[in-house]
Amino acid sequence: MKIDAIDLYEVRMSLKVKFQASTHAADELRHLLIRIRSSDGVGWGECSAPNDPYYLGETADSSWHMLETFLIPSVLGKEFSDVESFVAAYHHVKGNTFARAGLEMAVWDLFARARGVSLASMLGGTRKEIFSGVSLGMEAFDSLCDRIAQHVAEGYRRVKLKISPSHDAELFEKLRPRFPKVAFMADANSTYTLADTERLRRLDGFDLMMIEQPLAWDDLVDHAKLQKEIKTPVCLDESVKSEAQAKNALELGSCRVLNLKAGRVGGLLEAKRIHDAYVTHRIPMWCGGMHDYGIGRAANVALASLPGFTLPGDVSGSDKYFDEDLVEPPIRANNGAIEVPTGPGLGYEVIEERVRKRTARTRTFG
């Protein structure tokens, strides 16, 4: 299959509710969309890099630069027989995982559509539906309680809450009496150190599913030390950016749960390799998100259909985030579950008029 042309878009979308974490906040997103064109059809991908460099250092602007200067020129006008050969064309590009993942997502969609199969089946997915949780930012307590109650009533299977050293055990001391049966987890976004072990141990008393990424964003060793000191399972996020790091985490005992995001590890191909390694070691996984638009959300649904994703993930209905998404049919959660589409490729159709209406800049290659 020859890559004839690639269109790059910066698309801006407003969130229905401002998202506040311990390190950053956002009410408008600037994700990049990639459309690959060939004589065999069209494929869409999404680069969901954040606006700011507070997650992995990559941003929408840095991703645009990497795509237009290095990644797209590596594949434009060339012939590829499969996704593996496509990815090999830019294997020498280090880091920049969101940019790489967005480009790769588009070629997965292209190949799947050309073959008339769903992305989920092409990846090896086995689930007909995936279970969804919600991720909520920091906000006033009464407002937070209202939102928790709303999403629990909608059937979402777990609630993730942001914590920090000044906003952790005290939060759950107030929440648990109100929501004794809700499956809560805490996301620390790397705001603790080993010196906070006793503070994190206090969370053992609230029956949390896990504590996500409590320590440094690039650490594996200290997380292993922490896991030995607390009962609540440690879940890694930022610390696992490749298959090699995922295997190192296994060897060290750095986590008991893994949040797997295709954007964080450079694409669906690397995500599947990590998934397969963790299934072998019986480490439970769930699929994370980055407030993805419909294209990236559809890819997450396909990824989460793999058998190792046994815990509810962050892939919730797009109506929770946006008044209008970019794909049809709308991605909706029914009683906390999203149906895995069986149509070709991503299984959702991109509404190009909606893309154009929200495009801040665009460039065509080829």
Side-chain angles (χ1 to χ4, degrees), residues 124-286:
T126 59
R127 302 180 187 279
K128 294 183 179 180
E129 63 179 12
I130 66 164
F131 292 141
S132 296
V134 292
S135 176
L136 303 181
M138 294 178 174
E139 54 186 284
F141 183 74
D142 288 343
S143 173
L144 180 65
C145 287
D146 290 343
R147 297 234 288 144
I148 292 170
Q150 173 193 338
H151 294 310
V152 169
E154 291 169 347
Y156 283 105
R157 309 299 177 98
R158 66 105 172 105
V159 176
K160 179 167 80 171
L161 299 175
K162 299 293 184 178
I163 63 170
S164 69
S166 61
H167 182 75
D168 45 30
E170 296 81 3
L171 172 66
F172 289 104
E173 283 173 350
K174 293 191 292 183
L175 283 176
R176 263 298 172 223
R178 292 202 187 194
F179 303 100
K181 296 182 180 180
V182 169
F184 283 121
M185 62 170 286
D187 185 5
N189 290 117
S190 304
T191 53
Y192 295 80
T193 71
L194 279 181
D196 299 305
T197 298
E198 187 56 41
R199 186 168 192 94
L200 290 166
R201 190 181 287 120
R202 291 178 61 194
L203 294 172
D204 287 344
F206 301 104
D207 191 28
L208 302 182
M209 294 178 68
M210 68 196 82
I211 302 172
E212 184 182 0
Q213 196 68 36
L215 307 181
W217 70 283
D218 56 353
D219 168 76
L220 295 176
V221 174
D222 283 355
H223 278 100
K225 294 177 181 177
L226 176 66
Q227 184 64 96
K228 293 176 182 178
E229 297 295 326
I230 64 174
K231 295 178 182 179
T232 306
V234 169
C235 171
L236 290 183
D237 180 1
E238 293 97 318
S239 289
V240 174
K241 297 175 281 294
S242 67
E243 181 186 11
Q245 289 178 326
K247 290 181 176 178
N248 288 341
L250 283 174
E251 185 173 347
L252 290 166
S254 304
C255 64
R256 294 180 190 163
V257 181
L258 180 67
N259 167 2
L260 188 49
K261 299 175 182 174
R264 192 188 71 232
V265 301
L268 292 164
L269 194 62
E270 190 81 348
K272 179 169 169 52
R273 290 170 180 152
I274 294 170
H275 163 274
D276 294 348
Y278 272 58
V279 165
T280 300
H281 287 81
R282 299 182 180 180
I283 302 293
M285 287 169 281
W286 53 279

Side-chain angles (χ1 to χ4, degrees), residues 75-123:
V75 298
L76 190 64
K78 298 179 181 178
E79 296 262 2
F80 300 101
S81 58
D82 51 30
V83 174
E84 288 82 354
S85 61
F86 181 89
V87 172
Y90 53 84
H91 74 279
H92 49 288
V93 175
K94 304 299 188 291
N96 298 281
T97 57
F98 283 103
R100 286 161 41 208
L103 185 63
E104 186 198 297
M105 188 189 303
V107 88
W108 275 103
D109 187 35
L110 176 65
F111 272 106
R113 288 181 185 274
R115 296 173 185 178
V117 300
S118 69
L119 175 58
S121 64
M122 197 169 168
L123 286 169

